[in-house]
Amino acid sequence: MGRLKLQSGIKAIEEEPEECESTSSNKAALACMINSEVGAVLAVMRRNVRWGGRYMSGDDQLEHSLIQSLKALRKQIFSWQHQWHTINPAVYLQPFLDVIRSDETGAPITGVALSSVYKILTLDILCLTTVNVEDAMHLVVDAVTSCRFEVTDPASEELVLMKILQVLLACMKSKVSVMLSNQHVCTIVNTCFRIVHQAATKSELLQRIARHSMHELVRCIFSHLPDVGNTEHALVNRGSSVKLEGIGHDNEYNFGNKQLENGNGGSEYDGQPSSVGFASNSSTGLVASVLDENTIGAGNGKEATPYDLHLMTEPYGVPCMVEIFHFLCSLLNVVEHMEMGPRSNTIAFDEDVPLFALGLINSAIELGGPSIRRHPRLLSLIQDELFRNLMQFGLSMSPLILSMVCSIVLNLYQHLRTELKLQLEAFFSCVILRLAQSRYGASYQQQEVAMEALVDFCRQKTFMVEMYANLDCDITCSNVFEDLANLLSKSAFPVNCPLSAMHILALDGLIAVIQGMAERIGNGSLGSEQSPVNLEEYTPFWMVKCDNYSDPSVWVPFVCRRKYIKRRLMIGADHFNRDPKKGLEFLQGTHLLPEKLDPQSVACFFRYTAGLDKNLVGDFLGNHDEFCVQVLHEFAGTFDFQDMNLDTALRLFLETFRLPGESQKIQRVLEAFSERYYEQSPQILANKDAALLLSYSLIMLNTDQHNVQVKKKMTEDDFIRNNRHINGGNDLPRDFLTELYHSICKNEIRTTPEQGSGFPEMTPSRWIDLMHKSKKTAQFIVADSRAFLDHDMFAIMSGPTIAAISVVFDHAEHEEVYQTCIDGFLAVAKISACHHLEDVLDDLVVSLCKFTTLLNPSSVEEPVLAFGDDTKARMATVTVFTIANRYGDYIRTGWRNILDCILRLHKLGLLPARVASDAADDSELSADPGQGKPITNSLSSAHMPSIGTPRRSSGLMGRFSQLLSLDTEEPRSQPTEQQLAAHQRTLQTIQKCHIDSIFTESKFLQSDSLLQLARALIWAAGRPQKGNSSPEDEDTAVFCLELLIAITLNNRDRIKLLWQGVYEHISNIVQSTVMPCALVEKAVFGLLRICQRLLPYKENLADELLRSLQLVLKLDARVADAYCEQITQEVSRLVKANATHIRSQMGWRTITSLLSITARHPEASEAGFDALLFIMSDGAHLLPANYVLCVDAARQFAESRVGQAERSVRALDLMSGSVVCLSQWAREAKEARVEEEISKMYQDIGEMWLRLVQGLRKVCLDQREEVRNHALVSLQRCLSGVEGFQLPHSLWLQCFDMVIFTMLDDLLDIAQGHSQKDYRNMEGTLSLAMKLLSKVFLQLLNELAQLTTFCKLWLGVLSRMEKYMKVKVKGKRTEKLPELVPELLKNTLLVMKARGVLVQRSALGGDSLWELTWLHVNNIASSLQSEVFPDHQGLEQKKDETGKSLVSDETGSAPSNETVA
């Protein structure tokens, strides 16, 4: 029977009836249901002998009242006409409740009655609108919690207990549970707890169900908390506080006022705890000794103000929750009764009770959540009592308890962290940081649980930020963020051991923190925008306050300032520990202490600065110097001893420094302490002297009790006797002194506090101090998802983090760990880049490059296959290049390592074939659509290996095909499938790297990074060596140069930044190369390409770019010769594309120098002349700046015997044609009408013209007749084509002297010289030269005649004519010249006569022009004088005619205006 009942009981717990709602509306169905329940109870009662027969006690009643009431209910039930909710539930509940209360019924009957009540409760018959529902619920709770029954057998007893739990839980879960009062809810929980307690001796099932029910109850009650209003009014402080006692006291484990009946022998439990048979396998018995204190509602403890009685009878809310929570916390206090030493790390009893209590507390916090902060009493329970216990249980040896404690703290952090700032600090400092490291004696399990908890915290996105902002940036708190970050880094480091789960766990935590920072980056407000903190003047650092903790624009600068102050104080502490005086001076210098020290500031420095040497502080405070005494009193004033025991206060005071050894110093220190203590806690003490004497007495007692050298210890009576009459002549209360005595005996006051011994232990006195501080501490800053402080935080943790991830990556062997590390690396890179921490990014790149294995000296035979088989190396390689592509802006020295990797891949033939060329050529095609590809494109694969290099093919596919092909040199077996797969993986990896985009996208790099990339390329290429370098080195140098040229071309807008380095590098190559090679070829043509591409865009740089081309002129002769034609073609292309952009003389000088050189080069001269033709044809690109240079170049082409004479003739035409430009410039100058400019321009034009004719003069001496004669014609054209501009007379004299006369003399020398065989037909040339002389002389006659030196000039002309008349060519007299010269002379004389230049004057001297003229003329042709001046034969009449006819006959090119004169 019992078993059947038991099963139905289980079902009732597990399966809620589903038909509630459908039946609740049906009156008849409900009536039937209650009827069947009545029947069920009666049926079970009838089976019992006591109830089965007639009732024979002699009373009037035929039947027992219980049976009667049930039958009466049966009669009524079908006759009710009203709706169910209008019927008082007490009517149909009372008969069942009577059965439950009755101590005459056996367990089976009570069980069935309980089931009936359970059914009624769960069918939703009761609702809030039901009449008298509140009273009915109270009746049910009262009846069930005072249930009585005879125990017939253990199984049926357990069943009833289960049913009780079931019904009570149903009461709490029903809709009408809100009608229950605070008192009833407490009663329900108390009853459940007692069943839990009793179940210890019962079956495992009952134990489990009882605990489950307790959990459900707590969940049910606390889930109601968010709906409860604020209950400030609920706190009462009446004079007569009502002590609410729980059900049962004096250790009686009964339900109600009567005992449970024991059916086995009819005897009752005697109420002694010892007689209750607790099962030995459970430690719930421990609760027995303290249960009298722990009953809910006992209101024990000084901190709890009991609730008023009327509050406990109101519908349930916060009062009952406070009572229940207090009760749960008090279950944890069992530890204290177990005499657990405060310094002990073990919990000496079974973990069962604490685990149970902690589980219930966790449920309460999960469901109460943030609503708890609205209820001060609940909050203060959590802040003080709960957290104090959590701190203690946190050091439990049991991993289960530790795990539960950590879960609770995580929940508290989520919901209530703003109210638990210092408690959280204490938890991390005293529990997590102690347990997560083996050096404090924690077991591996403890370490693991603590580390798991820490990692859970790290996964909360804002946790580390809040720790940093609230604790690390608060001078009174420890650096929790820093300590936790260091702990994670250290714990991830495998030191002399293989990688374990713990290392991976720590790594997860570390990466969670880093990824949290990386995710915040996109949310704005990067910390790097914060201006650096600078303290301009002294302000008391302990008084710094924040005006608004919710506005980041206010609190972020405040926090940064506070952190700066804290760092400076730490540095000051370091200085102080070495030399106190210098330490204080340093702090004065940083404006943290005033220029003139005051006692308060020094006291606060001692009080709030971590890391000070406590011996030095103690010596300073104990000093008799007046200032030190003032500091001591100010120091004591920083403590809060309000409501503190004297021994606790003394402990806290002496923890902050070492008490000096001298009695006078001790006296001074204790005086200051006593004064402060009496000021704040004067309760028992009469005056401060009493405090001083008692403090002294405690110090002596402490020494006596804890010094091993003292053999005879002071007793309690001794101590009390020693302290007679010290309280203003009276005695102190004995119990007060006894308490002090025992406190000191149990727990030593440490007068020599340990110097920075890691993480502190939480002693009771420290906890009291923490609770005091928590009332005054700064408000908790709640961080949001923006990256306000990440810059500073990351700067602190980046180094250890990169090191830790790298070491794990190095030791790891599983791909998922690799991936975790890679995620960490990428997050680090993102943060470094976004917070502009270039050094960190460089460190990361250096670290990663090592893992690519590309930098290792290759000992492997087949490095490509090895790379393909090495997952770690491939992942690292992809990561390096991902970082380079994504965050290249912030890489500096790291470029060198990246380039080393690229070069290694290049050497292995793994790079895409045209990494560098593509980088430059794509943009080039779009830039010069008309020109087609420049010739250097044929060289873009210059790094392709030549015969001597070990590589046989380049580029990805080449490498692959090389593997597949059979080598001709040595037979090789076909590659295996594994090798092919490894190759395939290698190729895929390289493709993922997108190496080429580093260079093609370099135009988007920040300037600093771009410059570093260029420098890295130059560094990687190495310094060019004179003489032979190895093919491999040359290959590397060529490749680097290609890349350098590529990024230069891609960054034309920033060419100034790169130019100096690029130019110097190319210059080094050009000047150190003595033989043609790929490197110098790439350098020269790269330089030309840069000029071609950049000239159109960078006019301000044109000179510098063109000057760089002078490097080409410095090429070694052999090198220059090899590349001359190609260079010329490039220069030609450069000129054609950019002639309009070349403005300066210097630029043109470079261009014309290059072109001039080609004049004598067989292959190059054509292209060079083509370029010159482009510049000079029709004066298209002739400028004053380049005129002389171009003329000079043209002269060199005219003189060059390379190519046909026709080209020389064309060159001469270019020269003579350029006179047109001079005329044009002269006209333009005249139009400018600025006197200075005109005269300057004329002067310049004159000089240019002189250079032109001088150039032609030189060509007139050419061996080739055609060229020579054409040069004379051209010269004549230039000399006579100057109408457009007036040349000064002096210039003409120069021209005659330097050009015409010199040319005539030189030609004469050649004609008469010994080498006439080289000069054909000189006679014709001489004739042309004579005509030129005559023509030019006559053309300029008017201007020249006015010169004082005309006579000399004229005699020069005559003397040349005379020489030419008599010249012998090849030893023979010429035929033409003797005829030509007299004719020309005659014509000249006639014109001179006509113009009045040659007339007979009566001169005194015999050397007049007239006489000298005839002296020479007669030597040439004696008949001329009579022909020109016939004696007295009408000379005057014939003058004009003769002049005209002669001039027109002989000198057809003479200007007409002169002949008419």
Side-chain angles (χ1 to χ4, degrees):
M1 183 69 201
R3 186 163 290 258
L4 283 170
K5 278 287 176 191
L6 188 65
Q7 286 169 339
S8 68
I10 292 170
K11 266 196 183 128
I13 288 174
E14 292 176 358
E15 299 169 18
E16 298 277 332
E18 291 171 12
E19 69 277 359
C20 313
E21 280 133 29
S22 58
T23 55
S24 60
S25 57
N26 188 329
K27 279 195 294 179
L30 288 172
C32 289
M33 187 275 295
I34 290 175
N35 183 52
S36 69
E37 291 305 312
V38 172
V41 176
L42 286 172
V44 179
M45 289 177 85
R46 285 195 188 103
R47 288 178 60 185
N48 191 305
V49 179
R50 184 190 293 184
W51 310 97
R54 288 163 57 79
Y55 198 71
M56 304 297 286
S57 69
D59 288 344
D60 297 339
Q61 291 174 307
L62 287 173
E63 291 177 308
H64 194 284
S65 59
L66 292 176
I67 292 181
Q68 275 189 337
S69 61
L70 285 164
K71 288 185 173 177
L73 175 58
R74 226 175 187 174
K75 276 184 195 168
Q76 286 175 300
I77 201 162
F78 289 108
S79 60
W80 287 331
Q81 299 299 317
H82 305 292
Q83 291 290 332
W84 272 95
H85 66 83
T86 60
I87 297 163
N88 186 350
V91 177
Y92 51 84
L93 284 171
Q94 194 65 57
F96 298 106
L97 300 179
D98 290 343
V99 172
I100 291 166
R101 281 175 180 274
S102 169
D103 52 1
E104 297 175 24
T105 51
I109 300 168
T110 310
V112 177
L114 283 165
S115 288
S116 303
V117 174
Y118 174 73
K119 196 166 188 180
I120 292 167
L121 284 172
T122 54
L123 283 178
D124 285 347
I125 297 172
L126 304 178
C127 62
L128 293 172
T129 55
T130 307
V131 179
N132 280 358
V133 69
E134 190 175 350
D135 296 341
M137 287 301 287
H138 291 173
L139 279 172
V140 172
V141 173
D142 289 343
V144 175
T145 52
S146 46
C147 166
R148 329 187 46 79
F149 60 94
E150 287 180 3
V151 178
T152 52
D153 63 293
S156 55
E157 179 193 359
E158 287 187 19
L159 181 62
V160 173
L161 293 176
M162 281 185 199
K163 292 281 178 72
I164 290 170
L165 291 169
Q166 204 180 20
V167 173
L168 292 177
L169 196 51
C171 286
M172 285 310 305
K173 286 189 169 180
S174 76
K175 289 178 183 172
V176 290
S177 64
V178 291
M179 297 295 186
L180 292 172
S181 69
N182 285 308
Q183 181 65 62
H184 278 101
V185 172
C186 290
T187 308
I188 289 172
V189 175
N190 223 344
T191 306
C192 274
F193 181 71
R194 288 177 184 276
I195 294 177
V196 170
H197 185 60
Q198 251 189 303
T201 58
K202 307 285 189 281
S203 72
E204 179 77 15
L205 180 64
L206 180 63
Q207 288 179 37
R208 299 269 172 115
I209 289 175
R211 289 178 175 227
H212 174 74
S213 304
M214 188 79 180
H215 265 285
E216 287 298 303
L217 272 179
V218 170
R219 291 178 68 79
C220 205
I221 294 162
F222 279 88
S223 63
H224 187 54
L225 183 62
D227 309 326
V228 178
N230 202 332
T231 54
E232 286 292 341
H233 66 279
L235 287 170
V236 287
N237 255 326
R238 305 244 171 122
S240 58
S241 64
V242 181
K243 184 179 181 192
L244 292 171
E245 303 206 17
I247 299 125
H249 45 87
D250 300 329
N251 295 342
E252 293 179 3
Y253 295 90
N254 57 356
F255 295 109
N257 298 327
K258 297 175 191 166
Q259 309 288 319
L260 290 170
E261 289 185 11
N262 189 335
N264 294 346
S267 67
E268 299 175 341
Y269 289 139
D270 61 8
Q272 302 291 318
S274 56
S275 71
V276 180
F278 291 115
S280 59
N281 67 339
S282 168
S283 63
T284 29
L286 285 166
V287 184
S289 60
V290 287
L291 209 64
D292 54 333
E293 295 173 26
N294 286 355
T295 47
I296 298 174
N300 64 334
K302 60 191 174 195
E303 73 287 327
T305 309
Y307 283 112
D308 205 350
L309 192 58
H310 87 274
L311 275 177
M312 292 309 282
T313 54
E314 283 185 358
Y316 89 95
V318 175
C320 76
M321 294 183 205
V322 171
E323 294 296 346
I324 292 166
F325 203 83
H326 180 65
F327 166 66
L328 296 176
C329 292
S330 64
L331 284 178
L332 297 173
N333 289 339
V334 172
V335 185
E336 290 168 18
H337 295 270
M338 296 308 297
E339 297 193 350
M340 175 189 169
R343 299 182 64 80
S344 163
N345 246 1
T346 57
I347 288 184
F349 70 100
D350 196 42
E351 57 197 14
D352 203 40
V353 177
L355 261 182
F356 176 57
L358 289 167
L360 294 174
I361 288 168
N362 196 29
S363 295
I365 290 165
E366 283 171 347
L367 290 156
S371 314
I372 293 173
R373 68 160 61 86
R374 299 207 308 268
H375 309 295
R377 288 191 67 167
L378 264 180
L379 185 59
S380 69
L381 275 173
I382 286 174
Q383 286 171 324
D384 189 354
E385 192 173 352
L386 172 62
F387 236 105
R388 188 178 70 240
N389 284 317
L390 291 177
M391 297 290 293
Q392 208 154 8
F393 280 103
L395 298 174
S396 157
M397 291 303 287
S398 158
L400 287 172
I401 290 180
L402 175 56
S403 182
M404 183 55 82
V405 167
C406 293
S407 300
I408 292 174
V409 176
L410 183 58
N411 274 320
L412 288 171
Y413 168 77
Q414 286 293 1
H415 299 309
L416 299 171
R417 58 183 179 274
T418 54
E419 318 299 329
L420 298 170
K421 176 177 162 180
L422 297 184
Q423 288 88 336
L424 286 167
E425 180 200 8
F427 180 75
F428 285 108
S429 296
C430 305
V431 177
I432 297 290
L433 285 162
R434 279 176 73 85
L435 292 187
Q437 301 175 74
S438 54
R439 69 165 186 257
Y440 293 107
S443 68
Y444 182 80
Q445 281 88 351
Q446 281 178 301
Q447 288 178 53
E448 197 166 25
V449 173
M451 187 57 73
E452 279 172 354
L454 174 54
V455 173
D456 285 339
F457 275 99
C458 292
R459 289 184 179 130
Q460 316 306 310
K461 298 294 181 203
T462 58
F463 168 71
M464 282 298 210
V465 188
E466 286 171 352
M467 291 299 102
Y468 181 76
N470 290 293
L471 304 177
D472 289 55
C473 296
D474 188 332
I475 56 168
T476 60
C477 300
S478 55
N479 289 339
V480 170
F481 160 75
E482 212 163 315
D483 292 338
L484 292 178
N486 285 336
L487 168 65
L488 287 169
S489 302
K490 278 184 204 155
S491 305
F493 253 88
V495 183
N496 304 327
C497 62
L499 207 59
S500 69
M502 181 77 99
H503 298 129
I504 304 297
L505 190 61
L507 180 75
D508 283 343
L510 206 51
I511 289 176
V513 178
I514 293 293
Q515 287 183 327
M517 288 184 186
E519 284 168 28
R520 282 195 288 276
I521 280 167
N523 304 331
S525 302
L526 293 181
S528 53
E529 293 159 23
Q530 291 294 328
S531 53
V533 180
N534 203 357
L535 303 178
E536 296 296 334
E537 54 183 28
Y538 165 72
T539 47
F541 59 83
W542 62 94
M543 306 282 277
V544 179
K545 291 278 184 290
C546 179
D547 302 330
N548 185 349
Y549 282 98
S550 54
D551 179 2
S553 64
V554 178
W555 70 252
V556 173
F558 163 72
V559 159
C560 294
R561 179 184 172 82
R562 231 173 25 171
K563 183 63 180 172
Y564 174 82
I565 290 171
K566 190 173 183 178
R567 280 202 181 107
R568 290 276 154 191
L569 286 173
M570 300 288 272
I571 297 168
D574 201 36
H575 285 296
F576 180 87
N577 292 346
R578 288 200 290 268
D579 182 338
K581 190 178 174 194
K582 283 186 181 167
L584 296 176
E585 283 171 2
F586 168 79
L587 290 166
Q588 285 173 294
T590 53
H591 303 297
L592 285 171
L593 293 179
E595 283 183 28
K596 185 175 187 305
L597 287 177
D598 63 51
Q600 188 189 20
S601 61
V602 178
C604 289
F605 167 61
F606 289 157
R607 179 78 168 93
Y608 300 121
T609 306
L612 284 170
D613 184 328
K614 294 181 178 181
N615 293 321
L616 291 173
V617 177
D619 289 341
F620 192 102
L621 294 175
N623 200 314
H624 62 81
D625 179 75
E626 188 186 345
F627 180 73
C628 294
V629 173
Q630 290 174 328
V631 171
L632 173 62
H633 282 270
E634 287 288 352
F635 182 76
T638 62
F639 287 85
D640 176 13
F641 297 139
Q642 200 81 39
D643 304 324
M644 223 180 253
N645 287 346
L646 181 66
D647 69 310
T648 302
L650 192 55
R651 284 175 205 281
L652 289 173
F653 187 65
L654 296 179
E655 260 184 10
T656 52
F657 61 93
R658 183 187 62 78
L659 190 64
E662 298 166 38
S663 58
Q664 288 175 321
K665 289 187 175 183
I666 294 174
Q667 167 110 16
R668 277 192 288 274
V669 168
L670 291 180
E671 271 175 9
F673 164 76
S674 308
E675 198 175 301
R676 177 66 174 168
Y677 182 77
Y678 177 72
E679 191 184 300
Q680 289 193 298
S681 295
Q683 289 89 343
I684 292 175
L685 301 170
N687 51 36
K688 64 180 181 184
D689 292 340
L692 173 63
L693 290 167
L694 191 51
S695 302
Y696 238 120
S697 184
L698 287 179
I699 294 287
M700 289 166 66
L701 172 64
N702 188 61
T703 308
D704 175 89
Q705 291 293 323
H706 299 286
N707 191 328
V708 289
Q709 292 169 343
V710 178
K711 300 299 179 212
K712 186 171 183 285
K713 304 290 184 192
M714 194 188 296
T715 63
E716 184 181 326
D717 290 338
D718 294 340
F719 177 69
I720 291 169
R721 199 180 309 115
N722 290 346
N723 289 297
R724 278 191 199 140
H725 311 310
I726 62 168
N727 199 23
N730 299 322
D731 283 350
L732 287 159
R734 185 181 178 93
D735 55 351
F736 173 70
L737 290 173
T738 302
E739 189 184 341
L740 286 176
Y741 175 82
H742 287 295
S743 172
I744 300 295
C745 289
K746 273 188 200 169
N747 195 356
E748 178 187 358
I749 297 177
R750 294 187 168 268
T751 51
T752 52
E754 59 279 2
Q755 294 283 349
S757 62
F759 301 103
E761 293 166 272
M762 184 47 70
T763 58
S765 56
R766 281 179 184 157
W767 183 260
I768 292 165
D769 184 43
L770 184 142
M771 293 314 296
H772 277 246
K773 278 183 183 165
S774 65
K775 296 185 181 78
K776 298 177 183 172
T777 188
Q779 189 177 329
F780 189 95
I781 295 166
V782 180
D784 58 16
S785 59
R786 286 177 287 178
F788 294 117
L789 300 170
D790 287 354
H791 179 276
D792 298 347
M793 290 166 61
F794 187 68
I796 291 169
M797 68 182 290
S798 59
T801 301
I802 293 175
I805 302 176
S806 299
V807 172
V808 174
F809 191 61
D810 195 20
H811 283 67
E813 291 170 4
H814 298 290
E815 209 158 319
E816 59 270 26
V817 182
Y818 297 162
Q819 194 53 55
T820 307
C821 294
I822 294 292
D823 293 344
F825 285 135
L826 287 171
V828 169
K830 182 176 181 181
I831 302 162
S832 313
C834 295
H835 291 293
H836 301 230
L837 296 163
E838 292 88 356
D839 295 352
V840 178
L841 195 54
D842 285 338
D843 289 347
L844 175 63
V845 167
V846 170
S847 188
L848 266 172
C849 284
K850 289 175 191 162
F851 293 118
T852 62
T853 67
L854 296 170
L855 305 186
N856 309 349
S858 180
S859 55
V860 195
E861 277 187 31
E862 271 292 353
V864 179
L865 292 178
F867 184 72
D869 288 329
D870 190 342
T871 310
K872 189 188 294 184
R874 293 200 315 278
M875 288 176 90
T877 305
V878 173
T879 310
V880 166
F881 288 110
T882 304
I883 290 171
N885 276 307
R886 273 190 211 162
Y887 310 116
D889 276 347
Y890 304 98
I891 297 176
R892 298 291 180 265
T893 54
W895 283 122
R896 291 189 174 190
N897 302 72
I898 292 170
L899 271 173
D900 283 342
C901 292
I902 294 176
L903 288 173
R904 177 75 177 138
L905 290 170
H906 171 66
K907 281 174 188 166
L908 294 174
L910 290 174
L911 284 189
R914 285 164 55 86
V915 164
S917 315
D918 288 349
D921 289 350
D922 293 349
S923 46
E924 186 164 275
L925 278 172
S926 55
D928 311 338
Q931 299 297 332
K933 283 259 181 176
I935 192 158
T936 44
N937 284 354
S938 62
L939 302 163
S940 61
S941 51
H943 65 276
M944 288 277 194
S946 59
I947 310 300
T949 35
R951 281 187 301 126
R952 292 173 188 78
S953 60
S954 176
L956 277 172
M957 294 320 293
R959 194 73 185 76
F960 199 45
S961 60
Q962 182 190 325
L963 176 85
L964 296 171
S965 67
L966 286 168
D967 205 311
T968 49
E969 292 167 25
E970 45 182 289
R972 208 186 261 184
S973 58
Q974 281 290 334
T976 63
E977 277 188 31
Q978 286 92 330
Q979 287 177 321
L980 287 174
H983 254 275
Q984 199 57 46
R985 285 194 294 273
T986 301
L987 302 187
Q988 285 167 352
T989 301
I990 303 304
Q991 279 170 339
K992 278 187 208 159
C993 290
H994 302 296
I995 295 170
D996 51 340
S997 56
I998 293 175
F999 304 101
T1000 53
E1001 302 299 311
S1002 62
K1003 51 178 162 291
F1004 303 114
L1005 276 183
Q1006 280 190 5
S1007 298
D1008 288 348
S1009 178
L1010 179 66
L1011 190 58
Q1012 291 292 347
L1013 174 56
R1015 284 178 181 165
L1017 279 165
I1018 292 166
W1019 171 83
R1023 284 199 67 82
Q1025 302 292 318
K1026 284 210 171 181
N1028 291 332
S1029 56
S1030 72
E1032 201 168 275
D1033 288 347
E1034 189 187 348
D1035 189 37
T1036 300
V1038 168
F1039 183 65
C1040 290
L1041 181 59
E1042 280 191 320
L1043 294 177
L1044 185 61
I1045 291 167
I1047 64 167
T1048 308
L1049 293 176
N1050 268 323
N1051 288 279
R1052 64 182 183 215
D1053 294 332
R1054 296 185 285 180
I1055 183 67
K1056 275 193 172 168
L1057 185 72
L1058 300 173
W1059 180 244
Q1060 193 58 38
V1062 175
Y1063 173 72
E1064 282 173 13
H1065 181 55
I1066 291 177
S1067 172
N1068 285 337
I1069 294 171
V1070 167
Q1071 293 181 21
S1072 63
T1073 310
V1074 290
M1075 291 298 285
C1077 63
L1079 180 61
V1080 75
E1081 181 179 5
K1082 180 58 71 180
V1084 169
F1085 293 111
L1087 185 61
L1088 284 163
R1089 267 172 84 196
I1090 291 171
C1091 291
Q1092 281 175 18
R1093 290 277 298 287
L1094 298 183
L1095 274 175
Y1097 306 102
K1098 295 282 162 194
E1099 293 195 7
N1100 55 339
L1101 263 182
D1103 281 1
E1104 223 167 305
L1105 289 169
L1106 291 166
R1107 187 183 298 127
S1108 69
L1109 292 180
Q1110 290 175 6
L1111 284 177
V1112 180
L1113 302 173
K1114 296 178 185 173
L1115 281 171
D1116 183 274
R1118 284 167 291 189
V1119 180
D1121 189 54
Y1123 300 124
C1124 192
E1125 184 178 6
Q1126 291 168 334
I1127 291 172
T1128 313
Q1129 286 174 346
E1130 288 300 305
V1131 173
S1132 175
R1133 184 176 289 115
L1134 172 76
V1135 169
K1136 289 179 180 177
N1138 300 297
T1140 51
H1141 302 294
I1142 306 172
R1143 293 269 192 279
S1144 72
Q1145 188 168 6
M1146 199 285 308
W1148 279 110
R1149 176 169 289 117
T1150 307
I1151 296 288
T1152 52
S1153 304
L1154 287 167
L1155 294 177
S1156 302
I1157 288 171
T1158 66
R1160 286 174 178 73
H1161 195 282
E1163 290 89 25
S1165 59
E1166 194 56 49
F1169 186 68
D1170 190 42
L1172 190 64
L1173 206 56
F1174 174 79
I1175 300 169
M1176 295 185 70
S1177 288
D1178 306 324
H1181 298 288
L1182 280 176
L1183 304 165
N1186 69 3
Y1187 184 84
V1188 172
L1189 298 166
C1190 288
V1191 164
D1192 204 40
R1195 176 184 67 74
Q1196 299 216 28
F1197 274 101
E1199 289 177 342
S1200 167
R1201 303 195 66 163
V1202 173
Q1204 302 296 319
E1206 182 198 350
R1207 192 169 70 206
S1208 299
V1209 171
R1210 285 167 70 197
L1212 290 168
D1213 288 341
L1214 289 178
M1215 291 173 78
S1216 59
S1218 67
V1219 175
V1220 179
C1221 291
L1222 297 176
S1223 306
Q1224 187 184 335
W1225 297 335
R1227 270 200 309 281
E1228 286 167 2
K1230 205 179 283 180
E1231 284 163 15
R1233 291 182 185 161
V1234 179
E1235 278 304 318
E1236 286 173 22
E1237 277 185 27
I1238 294 174
S1239 62
K1240 173 80 174 73
M1241 191 63 193
Y1242 272 11
Q1243 190 180 338
D1244 290 349
I1245 289 171
E1247 284 172 15
M1248 286 186 240
W1249 174 81
L1250 188 61
R1251 289 292 291 271
L1252 169 67
V1253 291
Q1254 280 178 316
L1256 285 167
R1257 172 189 75 75
K1258 289 177 184 169
V1259 189
C1260 290
L1261 310 179
D1262 197 279
Q1263 288 182 342
R1264 294 165 297 172
E1265 180 190 1
E1266 185 184 347
V1267 177
R1268 194 169 61 232
N1269 292 347
H1270 198 77
L1272 281 165
V1273 173
S1274 302
L1275 179 59
Q1276 183 174 323
R1277 194 183 306 155
C1278 292
L1279 290 170
S1280 57
V1282 289
E1283 305 94 358
F1285 47 97
Q1286 280 108 23
L1287 293 173
H1289 299 144
S1290 58
L1291 199 64
W1292 277 114
L1293 285 176
Q1294 262 182 293
C1295 176
F1296 269 94
D1297 277 345
M1298 292 164 61
V1299 179
I1300 300 173
F1301 291 163
T1302 311
M1303 176 198 67
L1304 290 168
D1305 296 346
D1306 289 347
L1307 282 172
L1308 200 62
D1309 289 346
I1310 290 169
Q1312 293 173 335
H1314 301 296
S1315 56
Q1316 296 114 331
K1317 63 178 185 294
D1318 296 333
Y1319 290 83
R1320 292 208 193 95
N1321 196 3
M1322 276 304 291
E1323 191 178 354
T1325 307
L1326 295 175
S1327 305
L1328 285 172
M1330 257 304 103
K1331 286 179 183 174
L1332 178 144
L1333 172 67
S1334 165
K1335 182 172 181 182
V1336 174
F1337 180 75
L1338 288 176
Q1339 185 182 329
L1340 297 167
L1341 186 58
N1342 287 356
E1343 286 91 342
L1344 297 175
Q1346 293 158 27
L1347 297 176
T1348 52
T1349 55
F1350 174 69
C1351 185
K1352 184 183 171 191
L1353 178 71
W1354 169 234
L1355 291 177
V1357 172
L1358 287 175
S1359 70
R1360 263 77 183 180
M1361 286 185 165
E1362 191 175 337
K1363 284 177 188 170
Y1364 269 61
M1365 183 75 184
K1366 297 170 181 169
V1367 72
K1368 287 182 179 178
V1369 179
K1370 294 182 186 177
K1372 297 176 188 173
R1373 296 289 295 263
T1374 60
E1375 297 171 10
K1376 293 181 185 174
L1377 282 172
E1379 296 172 16
L1380 180 65
V1381 173
E1383 275 182 42
L1384 291 175
L1385 180 56
K1386 180 182 178 186
N1387 192 30
T1388 306
L1389 290 169
L1390 285 169
V1391 174
M1392 288 173 76
K1393 175 185 169 190
R1395 303 228 182 127
V1397 175
L1398 187 65
V1399 289
Q1400 188 173 6
R1401 290 189 179 88
S1402 54
L1404 295 171
D1407 59 347
S1408 67
L1409 179 67
W1410 173 266
E1411 287 179 4
L1412 288 170
T1413 300
W1414 296 118
L1415 199 65
H1416 280 279
V1417 169
N1418 289 334
N1419 289 338
I1420 297 166
S1422 51
S1423 61
L1424 275 180
Q1425 185 173 2
S1426 57
E1427 286 178 33
V1428 179
F1429 290 98
D1431 293 333
H1432 312 292
Q1433 291 179 9
L1435 180 74
E1436 299 303 320
Q1437 295 93 327
K1438 292 185 178 179
K1439 186 168 95 179
D1440 287 346
E1441 294 168 27
T1442 317
K1444 273 181 193 171
S1445 64
L1446 277 170
V1447 170
S1448 57
D1449 282 351
E1450 297 297 329
T1451 55
S1453 57
S1456 57
N1457 61 338
E1458 291 181 2
T1459 53
V1460 174

